[in-house]
């Protein structure tokens, strides 16, 4: 087998549309809250901004990353790099589904990319990708939390190597994860990895951003509709005009934030007032 190089091409337009939608009704998105844990919630704005920036930069990086260039003699550090950064993309997309209450079944329950259901029959693409990342990159000396895909209590991977015909022949996979299983009677095991499947998995996660953007649009429209149906108190509902203006200011801030400045009230000796913007 000759050496093939690989380079993913992820759609960055969906990320721009996501950012545009978030900023379209910025004050509404700014006030979106998420449950951090039971009984404790936070404004999601910081997390949303961090996710969008991470997605922009990481997707650009992945699109420029060329794999199997021959730079590394044995361990495929370029593949490790790809898996780690691709995992950031996956986590960012999944976190957005939680913030905006988007059903993530399409990306969390699928198993039609890797076709690995594991020993219990419940394995998903998400599970298997996490297993490969653990085995190849982040926990190579002890991968032990992916039981359905393991052949022993823990697996160790001394190296991951591109299949350029240097070690094993007559195999069409692109890269191997070499494994020691911790079983005394076992020899070396190989996990065969196809880059087309890895790329397809990451692409489906980026494509799902469109669903999230649509959900944000629906959320913003729902908030606007609620504002329209929420009747603002009139001047006659207050004891004086000052209280009426204070309430009007609060209603304005709730809808538009403080970007336009507060309504300032200045009183005069005649007890009349004027509104300064």
């Amino acid at each position: 087998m000759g050496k093939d190089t690989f380079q993913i091409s992820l759609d960055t337009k969906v990320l721009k549309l996501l950012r545009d939608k978030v900023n379209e009704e910025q004050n509404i998105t700014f006030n979106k809250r998420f449950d951090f844990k039971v009984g404790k919630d936070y404004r999601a704005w910081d997390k949303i901004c961090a996710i969008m920036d991470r997605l922009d930069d990481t997707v650009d990086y992945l699109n420029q990353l060329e794999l199997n260039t021959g730079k590394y003699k044995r361990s495929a550090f370029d593949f490790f790099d790809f898996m780690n950064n691709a995992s950031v993309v996956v986590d960012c997309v999944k976190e957005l589904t939680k913030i905006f209450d988007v059903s993530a079944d399409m990306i969390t329950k699928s198993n039609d990319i890797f076709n690995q259901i594991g020993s219990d029959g419940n394995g998903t693409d998400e599970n298997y990708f996490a297993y490969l990342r653990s085995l190849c990159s982040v926990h190579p000396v002890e991968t032990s939390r992916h039981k359905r895909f393991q052949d022993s209590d823990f697996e160790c991977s001394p190296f991951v190597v591109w299949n350029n015909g240097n070690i094993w022949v007559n195999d069409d996979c692109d890269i191997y994860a070499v494994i020691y299983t911790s079983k005394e009677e076992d020899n070396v095991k190989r996990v065969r990895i196809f880059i087309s499947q890895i790329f397809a998995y990451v692409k489906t996660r980026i494509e799902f951003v469109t669903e999230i953007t649509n959900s944000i649009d629906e959320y913003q429209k729902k908030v606007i509709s609620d504002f329209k149906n929420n009747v603002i108190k009139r001047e006659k509902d207050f004891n004086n005009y000052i209280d009426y203006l204070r309430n009007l200011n609060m209603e304005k801030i709730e809808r538009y934030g403080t970007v336009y400045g507060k309504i300032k009230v200045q009183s005069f000796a005649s007890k009349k007032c004027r509104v300064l913007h």
Side-chain angles (χ1 to χ4, degrees):
M1 176 180 289
K3 183 179 73 174
D4 292 321
T5 58
F6 307 92
Q7 192 168 7
I8 200 168
S9 179
L10 298 170
D11 183 8
T12 58
K13 292 179 182 177
V14 297
L15 302 181
K16 183 181 185 305
L17 292 174
L18 169 68
R19 189 179 291 274
D20 288 346
K21 180 53 62 177
V22 166
N23 289 327
E24 185 176 319
E25 298 292 345
Q26 191 178 90
N27 186 59
I28 293 176
T29 318
F30 178 79
N31 287 305
K32 184 71 174 74
R33 304 190 73 82
F34 76 101
D35 293 327
F36 179 67
K37 58 183 180 180
V38 177
K40 196 167 188 178
D41 69 340
Y42 288 90
R43 179 182 285 129
W45 181 248
D46 287 348
K47 183 170 284 197
I48 293 168
C49 291
I51 288 171
M52 291 192 300
D53 288 344
R54 279 283 178 173
L55 282 174
D56 285 348
D57 292 345
T58 309
V59 167
D60 280 344
Y61 179 75
L62 291 177
N63 279 341
Q64 297 174 35
L65 186 62
E66 192 174 2
L67 305 179
N68 195 24
T69 60
K71 181 178 180 180
Y72 307 104
K73 293 182 178 179
R74 182 171 65 180
S75 290
F77 289 102
D78 48 357
F79 181 69
F80 305 160
D81 192 10
F82 182 91
M83 292 295 284
N84 287 337
N85 283 286
S87 181
V88 172
V89 171
V90 170
D91 290 345
C92 284
V93 173
K94 192 172 180 180
E95 195 64 28
L96 282 176
T97 66
K98 296 177 183 177
I99 293 172
F100 290 102
D101 303 313
V102 184
S103 173
D105 288 355
M106 186 183 300
I107 59 173
T108 59
K109 295 185 178 181
S110 66
N111 57 18
D112 56 349
I113 295 177
F114 297 112
N115 297 304
Q116 296 286 344
I117 59 175
S119 57
D120 62 356
N122 294 318
T124 65
D125 292 330
E126 182 180 62
N127 300 150
Y128 194 69
F129 180 85
Y131 166 65
L132 291 180
R133 177 174 176 261
S134 176
L135 183 67
C136 295
S137 184
V138 292
H139 302 118
V141 297
E142 185 183 311
T143 291
S144 57
R145 297 183 179 180
H146 304 273
K147 302 297 185 184
R148 61 168 58 93
F149 303 121
Q150 298 169 209
D151 290 337
S152 55
D153 287 340
F154 68 92
E155 295 179 342
C156 309
S157 178
F159 54 86
V160 178
V161 61
W162 290 103
N163 181 23
N164 294 323
N166 299 326
I167 300 180
W168 291 284
V169 295
N170 299 322
D171 197 323
D172 62 347
C173 76
D174 301 308
I175 192 169
Y176 294 102
V178 180
I179 300 172
Y180 303 150
T181 64
S182 75
K183 290 182 177 180
E184 294 184 10
E185 68 276 12
D186 274 4
N187 291 318
V188 174
K189 167 187 169 183
R190 289 175 289 160
V191 170
R192 302 163 69 244
I193 301 170
F194 296 87
I195 296 301
S196 61
Q197 293 178 339
I198 298 291
F199 282 7
Y201 175 77
V202 180
K203 284 182 178 181
T204 59
R205 273 52 192 168
I206 288 296
E207 290 166 358
F208 195 74
V209 170
T210 299
E211 295 294 324
I212 297 171
T213 302
N214 292 337
S215 181
I216 294 173
D217 180 64
E218 293 176 2
Y219 168 72
Q220 291 175 343
K221 288 178 179 176
K222 173 66 166 56
V223 173
I224 291 172
S225 176
D226 289 344
F227 278 139
K228 288 180 178 179
N229 293 327
N230 182 20
V231 178
I232 297 176
K233 291 182 179 180
R234 299 180 180 181
E235 181 182 350
K236 65 181 182 180
D237 297 320
F238 297 88
N239 293 327
N240 57 70
Y241 194 63
I242 300 296
D243 288 343
Y244 164 65
L245 289 177
R246 288 196 178 104
N247 182 72
L248 196 62
N249 187 65
M250 291 174 57
E251 295 283 359
K252 181 191 74 69
I253 291 174
E254 187 177 3
R255 287 161 173 77
Y256 302 106
T258 57
V259 65
Y260 300 110
K262 294 182 179 180
I263 296 174
K264 297 181 181 179
V265 179
Q266 181 174 335
S267 298
F268 294 89
S270 61
K271 296 187 179 180
K272 292 182 180 180
C273 62
R274 64 180 177 179
V275 180
L276 303 178
H277 294 281

Short mmCIF file of all heavy atoms in Angstrom, two decimals, residues 80-103:
data_model
loop_
_atom_site.label_atom_id
_atom_site.label_comp_id
_atom_site.label_asym_id
_atom_site.label_seq_id
_atom_site.Cartn_x
_atom_site.Cartn_y
_atom_site.Cartn_z
N PHE A 80 -3.12 11.95 16.42
CA PHE A 80 -3.46 12.31 17.80
C PHE A 80 -3.95 13.75 17.85
O PHE A 80 -4.94 14.08 18.53
CB PHE A 80 -2.24 12.17 18.73
CG PHE A 80 -1.58 10.83 18.72
CD1 PHE A 80 -0.27 10.70 19.16
CD2 PHE A 80 -2.23 9.70 18.27
CE1 PHE A 80 0.37 9.47 19.17
CE2 PHE A 80 -1.62 8.46 18.27
CZ PHE A 80 -0.30 8.35 18.71
N ASP A 81 -3.24 14.62 17.17
CA ASP A 81 -3.58 16.04 17.13
C ASP A 81 -4.97 16.24 16.55
O ASP A 81 -5.79 17.00 17.07
CB ASP A 81 -2.53 16.78 16.29
CG ASP A 81 -2.62 18.29 16.42
OD1 ASP A 81 -3.36 18.77 17.30
OD2 ASP A 81 -1.96 19.00 15.64
N PHE A 82 -5.25 15.53 15.47
CA PHE A 82 -6.57 15.65 14.84
C PHE A 82 -7.66 15.18 15.80
O PHE A 82 -8.68 15.86 15.97
CB PHE A 82 -6.63 14.82 13.56
CG PHE A 82 -7.94 14.95 12.84
CD1 PHE A 82 -8.12 15.93 11.87
CD2 PHE A 82 -9.03 14.13 13.15
CE1 PHE A 82 -9.34 16.07 11.22
CE2 PHE A 82 -10.25 14.27 12.51
CZ PHE A 82 -10.40 15.24 11.55
N MET A 83 -7.48 14.05 16.43
CA MET A 83 -8.50 13.49 17.32
C MET A 83 -8.79 14.42 18.50
O MET A 83 -9.94 14.61 18.89
CB MET A 83 -8.08 12.11 17.81
CG MET A 83 -8.05 11.05 16.72
SD MET A 83 -9.67 10.68 16.02
CE MET A 83 -10.40 9.68 17.33
N ASN A 84 -7.74 14.98 19.08
CA ASN A 84 -7.92 15.86 20.23
C ASN A 84 -8.70 17.12 19.86
O ASN A 84 -9.61 17.55 20.58
CB ASN A 84 -6.57 16.23 20.83
CG ASN A 84 -5.93 15.08 21.58
OD1 ASN A 84 -6.60 14.16 22.01
ND2 ASN A 84 -4.62 15.12 21.70
N ASN A 85 -8.35 17.73 18.73
CA ASN A 85 -9.04 18.95 18.32
C ASN A 85 -10.43 18.66 17.78
O ASN A 85 -11.36 19.46 17.98
CB ASN A 85 -8.19 19.70 17.29
CG ASN A 85 -7.04 20.44 17.93
OD1 ASN A 85 -7.22 21.46 18.57
ND2 ASN A 85 -5.83 19.90 17.79
N ALA A 86 -10.59 17.53 17.11
CA ALA A 86 -11.93 17.15 16.65
C ALA A 86 -12.85 16.92 17.84
O ALA A 86 -14.05 17.22 17.78
CB ALA A 86 -11.85 15.89 15.79
N SER A 87 -12.31 16.41 18.92
CA SER A 87 -13.11 16.19 20.13
C SER A 87 -13.60 17.52 20.71
O SER A 87 -14.72 17.59 21.25
CB SER A 87 -12.28 15.44 21.18
OG SER A 87 -13.04 15.19 22.34
N VAL A 88 -12.80 18.58 20.59
CA VAL A 88 -13.23 19.91 21.03
C VAL A 88 -14.45 20.35 20.21
O VAL A 88 -15.42 20.88 20.76
CB VAL A 88 -12.08 20.93 20.88
CG1 VAL A 88 -12.59 22.35 21.15
CG2 VAL A 88 -10.95 20.60 21.84
N VAL A 89 -14.40 20.12 18.91
CA VAL A 89 -15.54 20.46 18.04
C VAL A 89 -16.78 19.70 18.47
O VAL A 89 -17.87 20.26 18.60
CB VAL A 89 -15.20 20.15 16.56
CG1 VAL A 89 -16.44 20.28 15.69
CG2 VAL A 89 -14.11 21.09 16.07
N VAL A 90 -16.62 18.40 18.68
CA VAL A 90 -17.75 17.55 19.09
C VAL A 90 -18.35 18.05 20.40
O VAL A 90 -19.57 18.16 20.55
CB VAL A 90 -17.29 16.08 19.23
CG1 VAL A 90 -18.37 15.24 19.88
CG2 VAL A 90 -16.91 15.51 17.86
N ASP A 91 -17.49 18.36 21.37
CA ASP A 91 -17.97 18.82 22.68
C ASP A 91 -18.68 20.18 22.57
O ASP A 91 -19.69 20.42 23.24
CB ASP A 91 -16.80 18.94 23.66
CG ASP A 91 -16.25 17.58 24.08
OD1 ASP A 91 -16.94 16.57 23.84
OD2 ASP A 91 -15.14 17.54 24.63
N CYS A 92 -18.15 21.07 21.73
CA CYS A 92 -18.77 22.39 21.57
C CYS A 92 -20.18 22.27 21.01
O CYS A 92 -21.11 22.91 21.49
CB CYS A 92 -17.92 23.25 20.64
SG CYS A 92 -16.42 23.93 21.39
N VAL A 93 -20.32 21.44 19.99
CA VAL A 93 -21.64 21.26 19.37
C VAL A 93 -22.61 20.64 20.37
O VAL A 93 -23.77 21.08 20.49
CB VAL A 93 -21.52 20.38 18.11
CG1 VAL A 93 -22.91 20.04 17.56
CG2 VAL A 93 -20.69 21.09 17.04
N LYS A 94 -22.15 19.66 21.09
CA LYS A 94 -23.02 19.00 22.06
C LYS A 94 -23.44 19.96 23.17
O LYS A 94 -24.58 19.93 23.64
CB LYS A 94 -22.31 17.77 22.64
CG LYS A 94 -23.23 16.86 23.44
CD LYS A 94 -22.52 15.57 23.83
CE LYS A 94 -23.44 14.65 24.62
NZ LYS A 94 -22.75 13.39 25.01
N GLU A 95 -22.54 20.83 23.59
CA GLU A 95 -22.85 21.79 24.64
C GLU A 95 -23.90 22.79 24.17
O GLU A 95 -24.78 23.20 24.94
CB GLU A 95 -21.58 22.52 25.09
CG GLU A 95 -21.72 23.25 26.40
CD GLU A 95 -21.97 22.33 27.59
OE1 GLU A 95 -21.54 21.16 27.55
OE2 GLU A 95 -22.62 22.79 28.56
N LEU A 96 -23.82 23.19 22.90
CA LEU A 96 -24.83 24.10 22.36
C LEU A 96 -26.22 23.46 22.38
O LEU A 96 -27.23 24.14 22.61
CB LEU A 96 -24.48 24.50 20.93
CG LEU A 96 -23.40 25.58 20.76
CD1 LEU A 96 -23.09 25.79 19.28
CD2 LEU A 96 -23.82 26.90 21.40
N THR A 97 -26.29 22.15 22.13
CA THR A 97 -27.59 21.47 22.17
C THR A 97 -28.20 21.53 23.57
O THR A 97 -29.41 21.64 23.72
CB THR A 97 -27.48 20.01 21.72
OG1 THR A 97 -26.70 19.25 22.67
CG2 THR A 97 -26.86 19.89 20.33
N LYS A 98 -27.34 21.48 24.58
CA LYS A 98 -27.83 21.55 25.96
C LYS A 98 -28.32 22.97 26.29
O LYS A 98 -29.37 23.14 26.92
CB LYS A 98 -26.72 21.15 26.93
CG LYS A 98 -26.26 19.71 26.80
CD LYS A 98 -25.10 19.43 27.75
CE LYS A 98 -24.58 18.02 27.60
NZ LYS A 98 -23.41 17.77 28.48
N ILE A 99 -27.56 23.96 25.88
CA ILE A 99 -27.91 25.35 26.19
C ILE A 99 -29.24 25.74 25.56
O ILE A 99 -30.08 26.39 26.20
CB ILE A 99 -26.80 26.31 25.71
CG1 ILE A 99 -25.53 26.09 26.54
CG2 ILE A 99 -27.25 27.78 25.82
CD1 ILE A 99 -24.32 26.85 26.02
N PHE A 100 -29.45 25.32 24.30
CA PHE A 100 -30.65 25.75 23.57
C PHE A 100 -31.71 24.65 23.47
O PHE A 100 -32.62 24.74 22.67
CB PHE A 100 -30.26 26.25 22.17
CG PHE A 100 -29.52 27.54 22.20
CD1 PHE A 100 -28.14 27.58 22.04
CD2 PHE A 100 -30.18 28.73 22.44
CE1 PHE A 100 -27.44 28.77 22.08
CE2 PHE A 100 -29.50 29.94 22.49
CZ PHE A 100 -28.13 29.96 22.31
N ASP A 101 -31.57 23.62 24.30
CA ASP A 101 -32.59 22.57 24.42
C ASP A 101 -32.92 21.94 23.07
O ASP A 101 -34.09 21.78 22.71
CB ASP A 101 -33.87 23.13 25.05
CG ASP A 101 -33.61 23.76 26.42
OD1 ASP A 101 -32.93 23.12 27.23
OD2 ASP A 101 -34.09 24.88 26.66
N VAL A 102 -31.87 21.60 22.32
CA VAL A 102 -32.04 20.96 21.03
C VAL A 102 -31.93 19.45 21.21
O VAL A 102 -30.98 18.97 21.86
CB VAL A 102 -30.97 21.43 20.03
CG1 VAL A 102 -31.20 20.82 18.65
CG2 VAL A 102 -30.96 22.95 19.94
N SER A 103 -32.84 18.70 20.67
CA SER A 103 -32.74 17.24 20.73
C SER A 103 -31.50 16.79 19.98
O SER A 103 -31.33 17.08 18.79
CB SER A 103 -33.98 16.59 20.11
OG SER A 103 -33.80 15.18 20.04
#
